[in-house]
Amino acid sequence: MSSSPKPEVRSYRNYIGGQWVKSSTGETFPVYDPSTEEVIANVAAASSADVDRAVGAGRAAFDSGPWPQTTAQDRGRILFGLAAKVRENAAMLAELESRNTGKPIVEAEFDIADVATCFEYYGGLANKVMGNVLPVPANALSFTLREPVGVAGQIIPWNYPLLMAAWKLAPALAAGCTCVLKPAEQTPLTALEFASWLEGVGVPPGVVNVINGVGETTGAALVAHPNVDKIAFTGSAAVGKLIVKSGADTLKRVSLELGGKSPNVFFADADWEAAVDGALFGVFINQGEVCSAGSRILVERKIYSKFVEAMTEKTKRIKLGPPRERDTKMGPLVSKEQYDRVTFYLEIGKKEARLAVGGSRPKQFSKGYYIEPTIFYDVDNSARIAREEIFGPVASVIPFDGEKDAIRIANDTPYGLAAAIWTRDIYKAFRVVKSFRAGIIWVNHMQPTYVEAPWGGYKQSGFGRELGPWGLEEYLETKQVFVNLDETPIGWY
Ligand code: NAP
Ligand code: MG
């Protein structure tokens, strides 16, 4: 087991209007370490009255607080200040993120570095928001003003807790919005630690509020609230659909990032070693709890058997272990609920396809929500394990014959978040790139994600884009201004 000492069970409140407040109902909920199944914190649950208070704080800060007077330069400096806090506290945040999610510490360290980079990126972008001057006739002047959309409700999942918070908070603050963030009930801890630095770096009270609780109550109250201007959501397609319906009553702006069933496509001419590695990395990183997981591995029939064999052998050597051990490559799943869900799909997979490796709970752990990295092969693309998002370390390998077949199978999914292709033939590579119906395409790699480049899906993987200037756009309105330069009356009546 991990050698680090057991931390105390801490209590956290909601962060509303710059204050740490208890729940109006006194209700709290436990937060777990999924590797030990022990409670590591108790967190105040935000009731609908607390949500109302948080939205009120965000509204007041947007409409009349010091925030609207803050210059873009100052907002940029504040974001740099937040990035610096994250870097100073990176070791603590990575440890806490790993403890709360079960992800290997080395991966958590990458996540936290990405959090800081995200705040730095949007800190730099804050004073580069510009409107346009439009070429209307000479007797008029027309231009656009870019203005913040208002109070943003932000609902995030548990797989990359603080990184998902950063992807939402950083562009919103750069744009001049105020925020009400609801972390996933399983993993609120790093966002709450982060909130403790807001005041110190100059974020005025009410500009960022963090409320805890379950989606069906706290999240739903935020989505329905008439004073919230926009909802940004990352999570399941099922909840995304509920959010669009509920948000429609108040015609909120909505952006959705909803995961998928992304194809990772291997042609016979791909670089062999890199390809086998890339297939496993694409689906098993972060225990497979990744919205862009390459969970459908499409392999050209000429190399199919050898490829399945090579993946299987390598998978047997993936080191599952306690998340804080540095050589651990796979930790437990995030929760009992997710463990049960993935186990359910393992049983379905055993009926639908052939099992190459994994398929059970690993024997060596008496506690923790561990699942063996699992490969099913000879999977038909119509099988449930090829169509439904499992969100765990489970790969479905599907053979194909040639380019047309690969494209057909790859696009035969309700989702369209990401796709990858492995080949040495650049003609083929770019033909396939153009044919994929997905928002993110990798060539000879899978998963690298940079804050400079847009992130988001086609089809039922959602709409809107995060990261880069696209991520900032989601938090901006466009105001058109027309100025008459001609003093003569209109003369119409
Ligand atoms: P989820 O229910 O979609 O959760 C995402 C976020 O939405 C959480 O903060 C959740 O709160 C909140 N939420 C849930 N119901 C809501 C509602 N009616 N109104 C407003 N907010 C609501 O996902 P999950 O339950 O954690 O995981 C279930 C499945 O979703 C996974 O197996 C996976 O397939 C998919 N998923 C996808 C992503 C992704 O990045 N695309 C991330 C996580 C999960 P709670 O924390 O209380 O649930
Ligand atoms: Mg949920």
Side-chain angles (χ1 to χ4, degrees), residues 105-336:
I105 184 70
V106 175
E107 291 186 35
E109 288 166 359
F110 280 113
D111 295 357
I112 300 303
D114 284 349
V115 170
T117 305
C118 182
F119 281 103
E120 286 157 0
Y121 178 85
Y122 285 106
L125 212 52
N127 64 348
K128 287 152 198 90
V129 174
M130 290 176 279
N132 300 104
V133 178
L134 295 323
V136 295
N139 61 353
L141 175 65
S142 175
F143 58 91
T144 57
L145 296 174
R146 306 310 311 280
E147 297 183 342
V149 78
V151 180
Q154 304 173 316
I155 300 176
I156 55 172
W158 40 256
N159 54 345
Y160 291 93
L162 193 57
L163 188 58
M164 292 299 101
W167 285 19
K168 302 254 181 302
L169 294 174
L173 296 176
C177 290
T178 60
C179 304
V180 180
L181 176 76
K182 192 203 87 67
E185 71 188 81
Q186 298 86 351
T187 58
L189 303 185
T190 45
L192 290 165
E193 292 292 339
F194 175 87
S196 71
W197 304 319
L198 290 164
E199 195 186 338
V201 304
V203 179
V207 170
V208 176
N209 306 278
V210 184
I211 53 171
N212 307 292
V214 300
E216 292 76 3
T217 52
T218 310
L222 185 59
V223 175
H225 203 292
N227 290 338
V228 172
D229 298 292
K230 180 210 159 72
I231 293 287
F233 171 78
T234 299
S236 62
V239 173
K241 290 172 191 178
L242 290 177
I243 285 176
V244 171
K245 285 180 193 149
S246 163
D249 288 335
T250 46
L251 283 178
K252 285 188 177 61
R253 280 112 188 85
V254 174
S255 54
L256 303 173
E257 201 273 86
L258 305 176
K261 199 73 196 177
S262 297
N264 197 1
V265 179
F266 295 87
F267 284 93
D269 64 0
D271 177 328
W272 183 264
E273 285 300 317
V276 174
D277 247 15
L280 302 185
F281 186 81
V283 67
F284 291 148
I285 193 77
N286 205 50
Q287 296 74 239
E289 295 165 320
V290 180
C291 53
S292 56
S295 51
R296 286 188 300 144
I297 299 177
L298 276 53
V299 184
E300 195 158 20
R301 206 175 300 273
K302 281 180 245 173
I303 57 166
Y304 179 73
S305 303
K306 262 186 70 188
F307 201 81
V308 172
E309 221 169 273
M311 277 195 301
T312 302
E313 283 317 303
K314 215 159 185 173
T315 297
K316 288 178 184 160
R317 299 200 297 273
I318 293 175
K319 187 168 181 306
L320 272 78
R324 256 76 64 215
E325 287 183 5
R326 297 199 69 82
D327 61 346
T328 289
K329 288 285 196 280
M330 193 179 281
L333 301 186
V334 71
S335 64
K336 172 79 166 58

Side-chain angles (χ1 to χ4, degrees), residues 121-122 124-126 128-130 146 171-172 174-175 450-455 464-476:
Y121 178 85
Y122 285 106
L125 212 52
K128 287 152 198 90
V129 174
M130 290 176 279
R146 306 310 311 280
Y450 292 94
V451 67
E452 295 84 359
W455 184 270
R465 290 291 179 277
E466 297 193 283
L467 303 184
W470 300 267
L472 193 62
E473 281 295 320
E474 298 287 336
Y475 291 96
L476 291 169

